Amino acid sequence: MGTVDHGRRGFLTGKPGKKMRDLPLPWLRESALEELCTRCGDCIEVCPEAIIKPGAGGYPHVTFALSGCTFCGECARACPEDLFDLSLDPPWQLSLHISDQCLTKMQVMCQSCRDACEASAILFRPEIGRVASPALDASLCTGCGACVSSCPANAISLERAEVQGAAP
């Protein structure tokens, strides 16, 4: 179960933030969190972007409510347990979703997500008689989450990607 985003956008508009999904930390070994994590909080303390928060059961998770991940690796280096594999490329399997709340779907010009995306994974394709809509180049998306925090409509989410060949 995710946690509620109590960000300033929700505070200023009087609208509570959307449910934020608990996301794994980058480079996390499969199923290592609950088996090996002591919930010491070292990864939370060293994260320069402050995107790692205590989640369900006190286990750390990533939230993109305020910022994205720079993949600095500080969380992995600070962990005293064998939870991380810094050789994983990409560092996690996340997929980006843009909902119907996107301002462009209401014909409002906005490209905040594109501007926040260093990898240039979000493109805006012109449409005749309409505002350009976002399109994702999944091959370029790193899952950093910078687009999530930049979206004024809370229309973007990153979720665990379905791994090919994984059992349901």
Side-chain angles (χ1 to χ4, degrees):
M1 167 90 68
T3 57
V4 175
D5 169 18
H6 294 286
R8 65 182 170 196
R9 183 176 299 119
F11 173 75
L12 294 173
T13 63
K15 298 175 187 172
K18 66 180 176 180
K19 286 280 209 177
M20 303 297 285
R21 300 226 189 274
D22 287 352
L23 295 172
L25 278 62
W27 303 289
L28 191 65
R29 294 179 193 278
E30 191 67 33
S31 73
L33 187 65
E34 292 182 6
E35 291 176 18
L36 300 173
C37 181
T38 62
R39 297 171 267 189
C40 67
D42 289 353
C43 58
I44 295 170
E45 291 176 25
V46 300
C47 180
E49 289 80 28
I51 61 170
I52 303 175
K53 304 288 182 192
Y59 293 106
H61 75 279
V62 171
T63 179
F64 297 120
L66 302 175
S67 182
C69 183
T70 60
F71 304 111
C72 65
E74 291 301 316
C75 54
R77 285 189 281 282
C79 184
E81 304 301 326
D82 190 26
L83 288 168
F84 297 92
D85 180 358
L86 286 170
S87 70
L88 293 177
D89 185 28
W92 48 26
Q93 296 293 323
L94 301 178
S95 60
L96 179 87
H97 301 280
I98 302 174
S99 78
D100 288 340
Q101 293 176 333
C102 179
L103 294 176
T104 64
K105 299 200 183 209
M106 294 176 264
Q107 297 306 297
V108 175
M109 178 67 176
C110 179
Q111 296 185 358
S112 298
C113 56
R114 183 202 65 186
D115 296 342
C117 183
E118 281 189 35
S120 299
I122 301 174
L123 311 167
F124 278 77
R125 305 207 174 162
E127 297 179 39
I128 296 173
R130 300 188 55 80
V131 171
S133 297
L136 175 69
D137 183 340
S139 68
L140 296 176
C141 182
T142 62
C144 73
C147 58
V148 175
S149 60
S150 72
C151 180
N154 289 328
I156 302 175
S157 63
L158 278 164
E159 299 177 8
R160 294 176 198 232
E162 296 296 321
V163 179
Q164 296 291 341

